[in-house]
Amino acid sequence: MGAPGQSTDPAPYLRIAAELRTRIASGELRAGQKVPSARRITQEWGVAMTTATKVLATLRREGLVRAVPGVGTVVDTSGACGEPPVRSSRRPRKRPAESVLSRERVVRTAIALADAGGSAALSMRALAAELGVSTMVLYRYVPGKDELVVLMADVVFGEVELPADAPADWRGRLATGARLQWALYRRHPWLAKAMSFTRPPLSGNALALMEWMMAPARELLPDTPALLHTTVTVAGYVRGLAVNLEDEAEAEQDTGLTHAQWLKTRHGRLAEILDGGNYPMYAQILAYPDIGFDPDSMFAFGLDRLLDGLGAVMTERRPGPGGRGRRSV
């Protein structure tokens, strides 16, 4: 019995973890099937995000689930011993010796957590649980979460492989660089929200990509403010669309519907709204088959239009005799 006035009910995260264990043991959640995301847990059980994160971390430690980058947390009972009880009878996983840890391992584990559960799933406590160490140990390797995210961004920007046959013209180079950034945000949906152009993270790998992107344009934009504004405009366009990718990934995990499938479920309601004839533009759009309203098609269309506009700026500021910029006539 507990002390007088002290609740004997298990902590909320243990209670929720027990319910999910039961679903796994009964076969309701099968091997390879996604379990509720942290966001879904907060909605279904009415708990805070930190509690939801502890639920998934508990199940991972018990070998019942694993994080799959780009997919989410899925059932994986290969590491579990027998039928999972309400309270695990397994001994807690032995924490690795500090010599096994390194800053690189901490950062890469954080990237895997964010890839699987989104930026909301990343906390110093959740990361420590994943590594099997106390939270305080992490501060020997990174000063805090903000600095950790900067290191994560630098590592993933280092993944970008620049093409050997890089376009030599300004438009081809900017387009290639923008697509490389878009692909990077696609692989790591949390990254866009981690970037900022007012207070940018100091990432050498990100700067290297921008230097490579802007090299041909730099020859046509000797005016430094125009060079800066062009750089930020292109990178800002890519990031501006990419900030929606994490929300879309979470929504797909929560609903089980892709973006296209979700749109189809809304067609009936939208048709009712448009029935009065007050919105002819949207009626025309709705009637068009396979219009391609998805992030990738929107990105491609907007990028082409953006580069069209920058073409006028490049012509306008093309270096004249003596290397000084001149305005076109």
Side-chain angles (χ1 to χ4, degrees):
M1 295 179 62
Q6 181 179 353
S7 174
T8 58
D9 293 336
Y13 82 93
L14 291 175
R15 175 172 50 81
I16 299 169
E19 291 185 36
L20 292 177
R21 287 193 204 99
T22 301
R23 294 187 192 181
I24 294 171
S26 67
E28 180 181 346
L29 290 173
R30 300 181 300 278
Q33 187 175 352
K34 289 190 293 186
V35 300
S37 65
R39 181 181 176 187
R40 184 63 177 271
I41 290 173
T42 64
Q43 296 171 342
E44 187 172 340
W45 279 276
V47 295
M49 180 60 71
T50 54
T51 299
T53 301
K54 288 179 68 176
V55 171
L56 297 178
T58 298
L59 296 176
R60 280 196 296 270
R61 286 198 302 271
E62 295 173 358
L64 296 176
V65 300
R66 63 186 175 91
V68 179
V71 176
T73 302
V74 302
V75 176
D76 179 13
T77 56
S78 59
C81 300
E83 185 172 329
V86 173
R87 286 181 180 268
S88 175
S89 60
R90 299 172 61 202
R91 292 183 178 180
R93 185 172 60 185
K94 186 178 180 180
R95 292 179 175 175
E98 292 181 16
S99 59
V100 177
L101 279 182
S102 65
R103 172 175 282 192
E104 180 182 3
R105 184 183 174 200
V106 168
V107 172
R108 292 197 176 278
T109 302
I111 292 171
L113 277 178
D115 284 348
S119 55
L122 179 64
S123 67
M124 298 298 279
R125 179 177 295 180
L127 179 58
E130 185 69 15
L131 289 166
V133 299
S134 69
T135 304
M136 292 306 298
V137 169
L138 294 182
Y139 292 100
R140 301 176 186 175
Y141 299 91
V142 290
K145 184 178 177 181
D146 290 344
E147 293 82 1
L148 172 63
V149 172
V150 171
L151 293 171
M152 292 165 60
D154 191 54
V155 168
V156 296
F157 267 102
E159 296 174 359
V160 176
E161 295 184 4
L162 302 177
D165 54 344
D169 64 295
W170 71 266
R171 181 175 182 127
R173 185 70 67 89
L174 283 179
T176 300
R179 293 186 188 109
L180 288 172
Q181 288 184 63
W182 180 252
L184 187 65
Y185 288 134
R186 273 297 208 181
R187 291 195 299 274
H188 306 285
W190 54 268
L191 179 61
K193 293 180 180 178
M195 303 302 291
S196 170
F197 292 104
T198 55
R199 302 186 182 189
L202 300 180
S203 164
N205 286 324
L207 292 177
L209 175 58
M210 298 309 300
E211 284 276 354
W212 178 86
M213 281 180 60
M214 293 300 300
R218 184 182 177 190
E219 301 300 321
L220 302 178
L221 291 169
D223 182 289
T224 301
L227 178 63
L228 172 63
H229 295 159
T230 301
T231 304
V232 173
T233 296
V234 176
Y237 166 72
V238 182
R239 176 183 178 269
L241 279 182
V243 292
N244 299 288
L245 296 176
E246 183 177 38
D247 292 338
E248 173 57 28
E250 290 180 358
E252 183 172 334
Q253 186 177 38
D254 289 345
T255 64
L257 298 175
T258 65
H259 182 261
Q261 292 169 336
W262 179 85
L263 283 177
K264 288 182 179 179
T265 67
R266 296 298 186 270
H267 274 199
R269 173 56 182 155
L270 185 56
E272 292 177 6
I273 297 175
L274 302 180
D275 189 48
N278 295 322
Y279 310 100
M281 180 187 73
Y282 287 103
Q284 177 184 344
I285 292 173
L286 184 64
Y288 193 92
D290 301 324
I291 197 168
F293 181 67
D294 63 86
D296 291 320
S297 66
M298 298 298 292
F299 167 74
F301 178 87
L303 178 61
D304 283 342
R305 303 295 79 74
L306 176 62
L307 295 177
D308 289 344
L310 287 176
V313 179
M314 298 295 175
T315 302
E316 183 177 291
R317 295 184 179 274
R318 188 181 303 277
R324 298 182 62 184
R326 63 175 175 81
R327 294 189 178 277
S328 61
V329 294

